[in-house]
Amino acid sequence: MGPSKVIPYYFKASEKFDHEEITMATLVTYNRFHVLSRLAAHYKGPISAAIHVNDNESKKKILSDLHELYNNNEDMKRYVDIHLVVDKFDRQFNMWRNVAKFFTRTDFLMMLDVDFYLCTDFRKSLKEQPELMKLLRAGKAAVVIPAFEYIDETDGEDWNDFPKNKEELLVDVKSERLDMFHRGWKRGHGSTNYGKWYIQSKPYKVTDYNYSYEPYVIFKKESTPWCDERFVGYGANKAACLFEIYLAGIDYWVLPRDFLIHQTHHYPEDTRAKERVYNKKLYDYYREETCLRYARMMIAADEWKTNKSINLKKECGRIRGFTDVIERVANQHNEL
């Protein structure tokens, strides 16, 4: 792809945050500046934003508008760290995600797409779940906040009308105004088990993981995998991040009363379709490679027969030939 110039803390938030705060780690392009400003004013907590700046004649205008955005919103100045990624390459989503994560200044982060509106106070909800917090601190859990979208896209244009609690949301679900995010691609969010979530009052573990699962999750910054930067453009990029988190032995747990709603934003569908075809092929190779890499790491660290390997064995065992290859690797290791 070529070099990218990363400028960390181009703007640095003035607020001092508790180390157990949850940072919104997000990526932002020029056309979504106003949504970032809205997030800062609404969340009033730490945000680490990787902002892509095209290295061409538009750069001056982008930076000028960024300065205006930051200076005109006190919540931006108080809560948001801005990190610039300057290059000529669009849609390096995983690279941008890694920048936002790397410069996060708290123990925990949420890998958030900026177009999602935070409808509930999940920080308060998590504090009320000591056992789940214990798993989160230990790096053994990633916490899922279920995502929704309006069936009629025009209903998702005004966040002021979004439900503010689970009871209000269920009214819109029952009237078929709201549904799970990307309901046409159930593998993307279906493992959250929305039918269970509608009636659940306690956190629950995701038991039907699949490799296309791409929820919005809160997890520990340290000792968790990074997103693979070979994925450029739409398709599989976020799923790849979450696949590696799962293989690392981190389980997904769902908060029972909190949720996000997508703020309607139209995408270039022709571009998305072409990039998905390429990334699907890449993802097939990536999964095999990542399964072998993590299995060898666990065998070398004598973790292969521990609970840490359960997710890997379950998911990677579905790949043809994987079990036979890894048995030989494990036997060779035991002979040393």
Side-chain angles (χ1 to χ4, degrees):
M1 291 293 294
S4 299
K5 182 178 182 181
V6 177
I7 306 174
Y9 305 111
Y10 184 79
F11 289 118
K12 192 170 186 178
S14 61
E15 186 79 359
K16 302 299 181 184
F17 303 112
D18 182 87
H19 69 97
E20 286 205 332
E21 261 284 14
I22 300 167
T23 295
M24 296 295 102
T26 191
L27 48 96
V28 183
T29 51
Y30 178 54
N31 65 335
R32 310 312 292 158
F33 277 6
H34 65 288
V35 186
L36 175 62
S37 180
R38 184 186 305 157
L39 174 64
H42 175 60
Y43 185 57
K44 297 190 185 301
I47 298 171
S48 177
I51 293 186
H52 181 242
V53 179
N54 291 299
D55 194 10
N56 55 28
E57 65 279 357
S58 68
K59 179 167 68 174
K60 185 176 180 180
K61 171 66 172 171
I62 293 172
L63 293 178
S64 175
D65 287 356
L66 178 60
H67 278 259
E68 182 178 355
L69 179 81
Y70 207 84
N71 291 328
N72 289 343
N73 184 340
E74 290 300 318
D75 291 319
M76 288 281 293
K77 291 190 280 188
R78 185 175 178 183
Y79 299 114
V80 184
D81 290 335
I82 298 289
H83 321 293
L84 301 187
V85 180
V86 184
D87 58 34
K88 297 180 180 179
F89 312 110
D90 291 330
R91 297 187 294 282
Q92 294 190 93
F93 299 132
N94 279 358
M95 185 268 196
W96 301 346
R97 287 187 175 107
N98 285 341
V99 169
K101 177 186 176 183
F102 187 83
F103 295 110
T104 288
R105 293 191 280 151
T106 62
D107 290 354
F108 309 118
L109 66 140
M110 182 176 189
M111 196 161 59
L112 181 75
D113 289 349
V114 75
D115 284 310
F116 277 85
Y117 189 75
L118 313 177
C119 296
T120 56
D121 188 355
F122 51 77
R123 290 179 289 184
K124 181 175 181 292
S125 299
L126 260 179
K127 290 178 181 177
E128 295 171 350
Q129 302 292 339
E131 292 303 313
L132 191 53
M133 278 301 303
K134 184 177 179 181
L135 291 172
L136 192 62
R137 291 186 185 105
K140 295 181 178 180
V143 179
V144 175
I145 311 297
F148 291 82
E149 68 180 346
Y150 281 96
I151 308 304
D152 184 341
E153 289 188 346
T154 59
D155 289 336
E157 291 176 350
D158 187 358
W159 56 271
N160 289 292
D161 295 332
F162 290 177
K164 297 175 177 59
N165 55 54
K166 186 174 182 177
E167 289 71 27
E168 291 181 4
L169 176 130
L170 289 177
V171 171
D172 281 351
V173 169
K174 289 175 182 177
S175 65
E176 298 185 351
R177 292 184 68 219
L178 269 176
D179 206 334
M180 62 177 279
F181 184 59
H182 284 173
R183 66 174 182 167
W185 174 238
K186 190 174 181 180
R187 288 177 60 83
H189 290 263
S191 293
T192 296
N193 193 343
Y194 283 74
K196 183 175 184 176
W197 186 85
Y198 294 145
I199 61 174
Q200 194 73 13
S201 60
K202 296 180 180 179
Y204 61 93
K205 186 177 176 180
V206 171
T207 57
D208 188 28
Y209 173 84
N210 77 86
Y211 62 76
S212 297
Y213 190 42
E214 50 180 12
Y216 295 94
V217 297
I218 299 163
F219 59 103
K220 190 175 181 180
K221 177 186 176 182
E222 296 301 324
S223 301
T224 51
W226 299 89
C227 294
D228 195 294
E229 296 181 8
R230 286 173 292 180
F231 290 89
V232 176
Y234 295 107
N237 56 80
K238 188 159 173 281
C241 303
L242 294 163
F243 179 76
E244 198 156 339
I245 287 173
Y246 183 73
L247 291 198
I250 299 170
D251 293 317
Y252 292 116
W253 288 79
V254 185
L255 277 181
R257 296 192 59 81
D258 294 275
F259 57 92
L260 314 168
I261 295 180
H262 184 250
Q263 300 169 88
T264 297
H265 171 47
H266 300 285
Y267 302 93
E269 284 300 328
D270 288 345
T271 300
R272 289 163 68 91
K274 293 175 184 177
E275 291 174 346
R276 284 195 186 103
V277 171
Y278 168 79
N279 278 336
K280 182 183 183 300
K281 293 178 181 178
L282 174 60
Y283 196 28
D284 289 340
Y285 290 116
Y286 166 82
R287 287 189 297 110
E288 293 185 8
E289 171 200 307
T290 306
C291 281
L292 290 169
R293 174 160 51 90
Y294 270 86
R296 289 172 66 92
M297 287 167 56
M298 289 185 184
I299 290 169
D302 292 323
E303 296 173 332
W304 188 241
K305 295 183 179 181
T306 69
N307 288 340
K308 187 174 181 178
S309 69
I310 290 175
N311 291 350
L312 187 151
K313 289 176 179 176
K314 180 180 178 182
E315 184 61 28
C316 299
R318 299 180 174 132
I319 297 174
R320 179 183 296 180
F322 173 82
T323 301
D324 291 339
V325 170
I326 291 306
E327 280 184 2
R328 291 198 295 270
V329 173
N331 290 335
Q332 291 171 1
H333 175 76
N334 292 335
E335 292 171 0
L336 295 178

